[in-house]
Amino acid sequence: MVKRIAPLALLLGALAALALPGEAHATPPDTHGFFSRSISLGGAVTADVEDASANYYNPAGLVRSGQLRLSIGYMDVHHFLELNGQRSDVERHGALIVGLVAPVNLGDARFAFGLGLHLPDQRLARTRSAVVDRPRWEMYDTRPGRIYLATNLAFSPVSWLTLGVGITFQAPSELTLDIRGDADAFMPDTQSRLEHQFRGDLTSIRYPQAGLQIRPHEMISIGLAYRGSFELRNTIIALADANITGVGEPIPLDFSLVAITTSMYGPQQASLGFAFDPTSRLHFSVELTWYDWSKHPSLIADQEIILRADPPPGLNIDIPDEITSLEPLPLGLHDTWVPRIGVEVGLVETDAVQVDGRLGYVYENSPFPAQTGILNFVDNDKHTFSLGFGLTLSDLRPTLPGTLRFDVHGIYSYLPARDHVKTSTVDPVGDYRSAGHLAGGGAALEIAFE
Amino acid sequence: MTRASILLLALLVACATIGDETDFPGPLQTSGVGPFRLLDEAETGTEFRPDARLVRPQGAYGRAMVAGDRIFYDLAPVVDDVPDRAEGLPEGDIDLAQVGPFTIRRGARVAGDDAAPFGFEPGAEVLAATETWEGDSLRDPWAVESRFGAQLYYAAAGGIGMAAAAELGGTFTKAAGPLVEDARAPSVVEWEGELLLFFEATDTGTLGLARSTDGSTFTVETRELPLALAGEGALAAPGAVVAPSPTGRSILRVYFEVFDAEGVRLVSMAGTDDLSTWDRLETGVLGVLEDARGPTPVLLEDYVTVLVATAPFESRGVQLRAPVGAVAPSSARLAPEAM
């Protein structure tokens, strides 16, 4: 009979578990939008955005108004997502949003600096390994749980053209677990003497974004924005240099695991938007965004595992000749084209007060295919309807030399049912149906100085 | 107005810090591939160990299956003067010299508000060997209720027989047999208007399939379904079930015993949605139970599968077997309303 050594198995199991697959991601604003006004217009603002949400939608808009703008807001989205009619317990996402637009004039040239921050209120960052046979709502489970920080610079060379560039920050990590000492084979709880060290480094990566806005006519704006792709590759290093004791002569054991996992990925994307203002109280905007999801890398860790153990002759220990690494599995994502529509209507307009009503619609077709194989990254198409109102106070001197705008919004997303029919009838999970709703809202306050 | 706006926003932000943490997504399984978890005492209501036993031990059980609120099983009493166990008999096998003839019995689910959801009362005999071709024992019962009425299939010395009744709780009357010769362990399911009879072909150690359009006459389609993996030994004791999936398709699952390439007996399964191509699970589904035999599946609500099988136990020095239950997904708990 083969004798198995419990500590060895436990140690290897624990270390190997660190190298599980990661997550498909983009940024929180990609998922839920950025600031109330832009969200309530369905995100169709690339053509003429000029408030702090330009830090995400189109940095060229930062220089559009020439005003110093300070914005703070909050958003909250609840997920009512189901698999086979059972609630999936995807947690809510709430975040504080802060934005700054700071204009600078150098001679006749107009510049503006911008800063945008999306700060989740439950945690600063979240990374959860994906268990292959546990279906997970890939776009909503952990994707928004990240800080988003963007800094931008915009320039207006002529009155009808604005240009903007910027960078966005994300933080990959490198984690090292180092275990040394003696592990008793038969009395691991009381006779083992193991020490471990854990080291974690959060570094940063940056990726670009750029945009332009053209205003060929006072009623028409055209915008083009580009956001670069990024890939957070988390590195996990696990080292064990231990002796297995309790079986006669100590058995030296060397184990090393280096796993590099894509823990977060954002596709490059480009938006082309048109805005049309037929009257001063009516605003239409449409937009089309391309997401380059097809270049999404595999979420399976690229790992190298080395195990060396030299048991004395005669001791029958089951040590695997080879520890197979996880094979990269293609996700099969495809590019998506996302249309957006927004309408803004001036409901009340006086010298001191302006009230606007807003409507928006977005259709996001899922880049994920139906999960017919071993993977279970669940995602559905999504129809999002948004409604918002804005209250602008203009006559605030001498308290405030500018305007104060208060925006509120609500969103409702409908995810039509999607069937995941497995190719194998003895699949570890089996067929399932995904469906659900999202509902949320938020508010923002902006002070715009003249 | 300004102060009110700022106050409202501050309240929103403050309330936002009341966050909740969710756990990892729970396991989901609609395919019934396991691994299965043994039912516990609260689910079976029996105080007998292991907890997964479904009925009070009364002797040697051959195979048990649950249909509706009833359990059908073959049972043989231990003889009064027990001879020594035959030498060389595989561990876990019942020594037929130590028990009497097997007869088929029918028990009912324990009733009552406090009753365990998967506990059964021992039942009375419903069929015994009476025909020449049957020999002295009837075994491996499989009851099914279809558009053809209630039918109870069984194995006997000469092959597979059938008895019919108006309902599963009614009086069964034997039809002429055998329906299929050189076969045992019948398992019958309704599939696209036909009855499919899966059986163990005793002459080849394989699983076979026969079809019927009336429930009483069967045409053997094959005696060797392509379910064995390379290096595997004999396949035996099929238990079939038609499982609807959440996406609307029907999947035919067959659980069976198999000796793997290392000669270890385990319970595995195969599935199909068209009867022409089969997917075979490469592992066992009942690793939690050593030497499980005679798997028979039961579908419950929410795509939960209970697998009934027999496990060995010893009584007064005699090796016997008793029906036990296991459930998949393992996170599922049986509740009365799920039955």
Side-chain angles (χ1 to χ4, degrees), chain A residues 9 12 49 51 53 79 137 140 163 177 189 199 204 248 335 344 354 375 400 404:
Chain A
L12 297 182
V49 65
D51 61 14
S53 66
H79 305 93
W137 285 93
Y140 310 106
L163 305 168
L177 176 65
D189 294 338
R199 186 174 67 249
S204 70
D335 292 356
E344 186 173 41
Q354 179 176 334
L375 298 177
L400 179 66
L404 188 68

Side-chain angles (χ1 to χ4, degrees), chain A residues 44-390:
Chain A
V45 296
T46 295
D48 61 351
V49 65
E50 60 183 36
D51 61 14
S53 66
N55 284 292
Y56 166 71
Y57 290 103
N58 188 348
L62 295 170
V63 74
R64 189 180 178 98
S65 72
Q67 290 181 297
L68 172 64
R69 292 167 178 255
L70 302 175
S71 302
I72 184 169
Y74 180 74
M75 57 151 296
D76 194 38
V77 176
H78 291 253
H79 305 93
F80 305 95
L81 302 173
E82 297 179 345
L83 295 175
N84 296 339
Q86 301 291 319
R87 187 81 177 266
S88 297
D89 285 334
V90 176
E91 72 179 15
R92 55 170 280 276
H93 175 73
L96 185 69
I97 304 159
V98 179
L100 167 70
V101 178
V104 179
N105 290 336
L106 298 176
D108 292 336
R110 294 164 52 214
F111 291 85
F113 168 77
L115 177 71
L117 173 66
H118 175 106
L119 187 65
D121 63 8
Q122 290 180 288
R123 57 186 63 77
L124 297 183
R126 181 184 218 187
T127 296
R128 299 210 292 190
S129 58
V131 181
V132 171
D133 60 357
R134 289 197 179 190
R136 182 171 81 179
W137 285 93
E138 190 53 35
M139 293 297 195
Y140 310 106
D141 187 80
T142 59
R143 172 181 173 177
R146 288 269 171 181
I147 292 178
Y148 171 85
L149 175 63
T151 59
N152 297 284
L153 186 65
F155 169 57
S156 178
V158 292
S159 62
W160 53 270
L161 175 66
T162 60
L163 305 168
V165 296
I167 53 175
T168 301
F169 298 86
Q170 292 290 343
S173 63
E174 181 173 310
L175 309 174
T176 303
L177 176 65
D178 196 345
I179 300 174
R180 296 175 188 278
D182 299 330
D184 190 277
F186 300 106
M187 301 177 70
D189 294 338
T190 58
Q191 299 299 317
S192 295
R193 290 178 291 111
L194 290 170
E195 297 177 349
H196 71 274
Q197 290 183 327
F198 181 77
R199 186 174 67 249
D201 292 321
L202 289 176
T203 56
S204 70
I205 63 165
R206 294 156 293 278
Y207 60 94
Q209 58 183 351
L212 64 84
Q213 287 179 342
I214 301 171
R215 199 169 184 178
H217 185 275
E218 64 178 9
M219 291 192 296
I220 297 174
S221 291
I222 302 168
L224 182 63
Y226 170 81
R227 289 178 281 277
S229 66
F230 68 94
E231 181 181 352
L232 293 189
R233 294 173 68 84
N234 287 347
T235 303
I236 297 174
I237 302 170
L239 306 169
D241 181 5
N243 294 316
I244 304 298
T245 60
V247 289
E249 288 294 314
I251 303 170
L253 169 72
D254 288 322
F255 177 84
S256 71
L257 176 149
V258 177
I260 301 173
T261 309
T262 297
S263 69
M264 187 171 179
Y265 177 78
Q268 65 175 339
Q269 49 194 277
S271 292
L272 177 63
F274 297 88
F276 177 51
D277 300 330
T279 71
S280 62
R281 300 178 68 163
L282 192 56
H283 169 84
F284 293 105
S285 55
V286 295
E287 186 165 322
L288 192 63
T289 305
W290 166 70
Y291 293 89
D292 188 19
W293 283 109
S294 59
K295 291 191 176 59
H296 199 303
S298 170
L299 292 173
I300 303 298
D302 179 7
Q303 62 181 212
E304 180 183 87
I305 302 175
I306 299 172
L307 170 66
R308 293 193 192 91
D310 300 313
L315 186 62
N316 192 8
I317 300 176
D318 184 22
I319 295 175
D321 298 329
E322 179 184 1
I323 301 176
T324 55
S325 300
L326 295 170
E327 292 291 330
L329 294 172
L331 298 181
L333 271 62
H334 60 80
D335 292 356
T336 59
W337 294 87
V338 175
R340 303 168 188 274
I341 302 172
V343 179
E344 186 173 41
V345 180
L347 302 175
V348 176
E349 193 167 349
T350 69
D351 291 341
V353 176
Q354 179 176 334
V355 178
D356 297 314
R358 300 162 187 143
L359 291 170
Y361 169 76
V362 187
Y363 170 66
E364 295 171 82
N365 55 328
S366 172
F368 282 83
Q371 301 293 284
T372 59
I374 192 172
L375 298 177
N376 291 287
F377 296 116
V378 183
D379 188 39
N380 287 31
D381 293 348
K382 184 169 71 171
H383 301 266
T384 299
F385 304 90
S386 52
L387 171 68
F389 295 94

